[in-house]
Amino acid sequence: GDSVTQMEGPVTLSEEAFLTINCTYTATGYPSLFWYVQYPGEGLQLLLKATKADDKGSNKGFEATYRKETTSFHLEKGSVQVSDSAVYFCALADSWGKFQFGAGTQVVVTP
Amino acid sequence: GAGVSQSPRYKVAKRGQDVALRCDPISGHVSLFWYQQALGQGPEFLTYFQNEAQLDKSGLPSDRFFAERPEGSVSTLKIQRTQQEDSAVYLCASSAELGRSYEQYFGPGTRLTVT
């Protein structure tokens, strides 16, 4: 079956550091890929998405590129802020829109 | 506009009790999904609906779990004879249509604690 693997946390960074969260997937067919974010005390929110190979999703300074050859969708941000502290979830959607989530990566940004 | 709402936000049940969790999706959204999220884990798929039709219930852990969406809008997830392993956050999500390109909008979740 489909699955998503993302790097374990917590990832602790200083403000203005570069952030990368690795995400790889296995899937039959051609899934769409998503990053969701969960801020403390809040619900899951869509951060960005890509629906086909080589697409780049971007939002709020975050980027991720759908790499079919490496089955990856790594999340990056060039300069993190304290407000980026959250849990980040990588997910794929199959042709029916059924989501498979990774386990989540907690990011802690210190001033 | 209004997002996905869930009630109650917190529920404490004694082992063996039945519980009912409600989800109000975004108005007009065709698809509705239920997930179970254990502490420190990602959401795990339970079931989903397209309008009132339940298309996939393969993720329901046991026959104690039952979901319905009789009029294609509000949905209820019912857990009978709750067990301690049912303790988790139950998330509801809706999307405008069914398909891989459509993002899901999540509610705040119901945190169920079984004592």
Side-chain angles (χ1 to χ4, degrees), chain A residues 34-53:
Chain A
F34 299 79
W35 277 99
Y36 276 79
V37 59
Q38 188 168 34
Y39 298 104
E42 298 184 17
L44 282 163
Q45 304 173 24
L46 177 68
L47 183 59
L48 52 84
K49 72 176 187 181
T51 58
K52 62 183 187 296

Side-chain angles (χ1 to χ4, degrees), chain B residues 12-104:
Chain B
V12 179
K14 292 186 177 178
R15 189 169 52 192
Q17 282 185 331
D18 297 349
V19 298
L21 312 180
R22 177 187 169 107
C23 173
D24 285 82
I26 293 173
S27 178
H29 274 196
V30 167
S31 303
L32 186 146
F33 299 79
W34 283 100
Y35 297 87
Q36 181 188 60
Q37 186 175 20
L39 190 64
Q41 299 297 315
E44 294 282 343
F45 169 81
L46 293 177
T47 185
Y48 76 91
F49 294 83
Q50 182 177 20
N51 296 310
E52 68 278 4
Q54 188 173 20
L55 299 185
D56 186 339
K57 54 183 180 179
S58 62
L60 296 176
S62 75
D63 58 8
R64 296 186 295 104
F65 286 71
F66 172 75
E68 60 183 6
R69 194 187 185 199
E71 298 179 355
S73 178
V74 171
S75 178
T76 304
L77 177 67
K78 298 179 180 178
I79 309 173
Q80 297 176 326
R81 305 181 304 281
T82 52
Q83 304 295 315
Q84 283 193 318
E85 61 263 29
D86 300 335
S87 295
V89 175
Y90 290 85
L91 298 172
C92 175
S94 69
S95 66
E97 293 289 345
L98 197 63
R100 66 181 189 87
S101 299
Y102 295 94
E103 70 173 277
Q104 294 185 14

Side-chain angles (χ1 to χ4, degrees), chain A residues 62-103:
Chain A
F62 290 89
E63 293 183 341
T65 300
Y66 188 164
R67 301 287 188 200
K68 188 179 177 185
E69 63 276 13
T70 55
T71 61
S72 65
F73 193 54
H74 304 321
L75 183 69
E76 297 181 336
K77 186 174 185 181
S79 177
V80 294
Q81 305 300 312
V82 172
S83 57
D84 293 324
S85 297
V87 181
Y88 293 81
F89 293 92
C90 185
L92 68 78
D94 67 11
S95 59
W96 289 98
K98 180 177 168 181
F99 274 39
Q100 181 74 43
F101 284 87

